Amino acid sequence: GAGVSQTPSNKVTEKGKYVELRCDPISGHTALYWYRQSLGQGPEFLIYFQGTGAADDSGLPNDRFFAVRPEGSVSTLKIQRTERGDSAVYLCASSLTGFNTGELFFGEGSRLTVL
Amino acid sequence: DAKTTQPTSMDCAEGRAANLPCNHSTISGNEYVYWYRQIHSQGPQYIIHGLKNNETNEMASLIITEDRKSSTLILPHATLRDTAVYYCIVRGVNSGGSNYKLTFGKGTLLTVNP
């Protein structure tokens, strides 16, 4: 498809486990974002990639969270030693450029539930 | 980024115009007003943005007051499929800083009733 693709759409895991969430952005988009959305809240910024590099990771809550984008396309958000508070919808977005007027295109999200 | 204030929820009758207000009284001259919406269980979707002038596209119209301290998103003929959370966001125009990202608030839940 032409949109941002995220997998898995749903992930249920146990406390303490490791989780990977994948984002496949729109082809040619150099900017990629991860957001997290808790119930009843707006999306919260986590990290921004421009190409392969993380230009801003100020939103990552702690060092259990890490994201990569090794070839400047697909990105993986990695969460170690998951906690119940990590339960949320993780949204990925891409943009043609990182410039301020660029529209962000969002995927449908990966819903993570930590039991 | 300037903060925005939106009502928590609004209702609208199907077929009528939906007018969603947003206050951004601390907006600076180099900040755009953006609107996104999020239908249940989907990711946010871009609607429209503007700097000073009113804007219109196939989805909506954006009316920005002359002093730029508030704006209104207008859906001219709301349908049931327009039921969603609508986010008003301000974003800087200059390159650099953190203008590459969008900062979301809680938005307005618009419910379109049959």
Side-chain angles (χ1 to χ4, degrees), chain A residues 25-37:
Chain A
I26 293 172
S27 177
H29 281 194
T30 63
L32 185 144
Y33 306 76
W34 284 99
Y35 282 77
R36 178 169 71 173
Q37 188 169 27

Side-chain angles (χ1 to χ4, degrees), chain B residues 24-61:
Chain B
H24 31 79
S25 58
T26 60
I27 194 170
S28 63
N30 63 352
E31 289 181 315
Y32 283 98
V33 179
Y34 278 76
W35 285 83
Y36 276 72
R37 74 177 183 184
Q38 187 172 23
I39 295 169
H40 184 60
S41 295
Q42 296 184 20
Q45 174 193 22
Y46 167 82
I47 302 173
I48 199 167
H49 73 281
L51 185 61
K52 285 191 272 192
N53 299 321
N54 298 336
E55 302 287 345
T56 295
N57 63 20
E58 65 279 2
M59 289 184 69
S61 294

Side-chain angles (χ1 to χ4, degrees), chain A residues 33 35 37 56 98 100 102 104, chain B residues 34 36 38 91-93 100 102:
Chain A
Y33 306 76
Y35 282 77
Q37 188 169 27
D56 180 0
N100 57 300
L104 270 64
Chain B
Y34 278 76
Y36 276 72
Q38 187 172 23
R91 188 186 189 193
V93 303
Y100 45 82
L102 299 172

